[in-house]
Amino acid sequence: MNSRRWLRVGLAFLALVQAGVGGWALLAPRSFFAIPWVGMGMAYNSHLMADYGAMSLATSVALATAAVVLRRDMVRMALAVYLTFAVPHLVIHIRLLHHLAPSQRTPLLLALTIAVVLPAALLALATPRPPAERGGPAPGDAEVAEHRTGSDRRGG
């Protein structure tokens, strides 16, 4: 599978996950909060759950748009937005592990780590390497163009 295909599939996967989580948190906030990883034994807050759901849905729109359009600048922006949430989210949950049973800690950390590593890998895939590192021609060559759509090649 080429890098364009990996980017499209990865972005679509992240968009679907964000849409699912966001829709659940927005439309059934109490049910979403009941997940031990989410509520973590803390007091329920419907406003916070609705805000989280709406934010997750908004992120899914950016990711889905990037998956469809697949312009390098849009892909990089959508992944940066997602990582701006995902990295602190992982750190916050690491700090709050004491709220979970030991058997719940490992799957949570695994899921949240994947939620950082996957988009970081996609971001690296969408970031062009300097010509000296590629050992080839200057930007605009086939390797860089592989990530671009027709509008990118025209500079749009």
Side-chain angles (χ1 to χ4, degrees):
M1 194 176 333
N2 68 22
S3 57
R4 276 180 69 80
R5 174 74 100 191
W6 279 114
L7 282 169
R8 194 176 304 277
V9 168
L11 288 162
F13 172 77
L14 290 172
L16 287 171
V17 169
Q18 285 296 99
V21 167
W24 185 3
L26 188 61
L27 299 173
R30 193 168 291 280
S31 167
F32 183 76
F33 191 81
I35 300 169
W37 293 357
V38 176
M40 299 182 89
M42 297 174 195
Y44 174 71
N45 184 322
S46 63
H47 173 220
L48 180 61
M49 286 295 92
D51 282 354
Y52 173 77
M55 183 274 310
S56 294
L57 285 175
T59 304
S60 76
V61 171
L63 291 163
T65 302
V68 170
V69 175
L70 211 59
R71 269 192 21 212
R72 182 182 296 140
D73 58 345
M74 191 172 288
V75 167
R76 292 172 67 195
M77 179 59 73
L79 291 169
V81 166
Y82 179 82
L83 284 166
T84 300
F85 162 75
V87 171
H89 188 219
L90 171 61
V91 171
I92 289 164
H93 276 279
I94 288 170
R95 292 177 41 211
L96 296 174
L97 284 176
H98 62 280
H99 287 281
L100 294 173
S103 63
Q104 297 169 331
R105 293 175 187 164
T106 300
L108 172 65
L109 289 178
L110 182 61
L112 294 180
T113 299
I114 290 169
V116 169
V117 172
L118 173 61
L122 293 172
L123 186 58
L125 194 60
T127 302
R129 294 178 300 166
E133 287 182 26
R134 287 196 316 263
D141 64 8
E143 181 182 9
V144 172
E146 177 185 8
H147 296 298
R148 295 181 172 179
T149 64
S151 63
D152 278 347
R153 288 188 202 111
R154 291 187 302 273

